């Protein structure tokens, strides 16, 4: 039985990205764990490999996009009203 994309892999990749942002050593350990989950999901027949690859790619892309959006919002909200007016 296969489901596209793999939620198993996507969840672990998401946690890996959070761990990477918090601590690089923990991030490396989580990368190894993510690869183990990917291999296990294919090896035990839960998913095709492409399901895991696609899930990881989607999660990484969404994480990057949301991080950029939140950083942009943070930058805009940190500007004072006077700075925003005089910059125009």
């Amino acid at each position: 039985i296969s489901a596209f994309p793999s939620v198993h892999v996507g969840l672990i990749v998401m946690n890996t990205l959070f761990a990477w942002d918090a601590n690089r050593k923990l991030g490396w350990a989580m990368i190894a764990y993510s690869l183990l989950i990917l291999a296990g999901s294919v090896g035990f027949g839960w998913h095709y490999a492409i399901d895991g690859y696609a899930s990881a790619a989607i999660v990484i892309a969404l994480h990057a996009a949301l991080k950029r959006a939140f950083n942009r919002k943070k930058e805009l909200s940190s500007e004072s009203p006077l700075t925003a007016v005089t910059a125009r």
Side-chain angles (χ1 to χ4, degrees):
I1 297 174
S2 179
F4 183 86
S6 170
V7 176
H8 300 100
V9 175
L11 179 64
I12 297 304
V13 169
M14 181 181 65
N15 287 321
T16 298
L17 293 170
F18 294 150
W20 182 266
D21 287 343
N23 182 307
R24 295 299 157 116
K25 286 183 183 180
L26 179 60
W28 283 112
M30 287 296 294
I31 288 172
Y33 184 62
S34 295
L35 293 173
L36 182 66
I37 295 298
L38 174 62
S41 72
V42 174
F44 289 117
W46 295 329
H47 294 283
Y48 296 113
I50 192 68
D51 299 342
Y53 302 152
S55 181
I58 291 166
V59 168
I60 291 168
L62 286 172
H63 180 77
L66 289 170
K67 216 170 158 179
R68 274 194 309 272
F70 280 109
N71 286 339
R72 176 77 173 131
K73 183 178 179 181
K74 186 177 174 183
E75 289 172 6
L76 290 175
S77 67
S78 68
E79 291 181 3
S80 71
L82 292 177
T83 307
V85 171
T86 57
R88 293 182 189 174

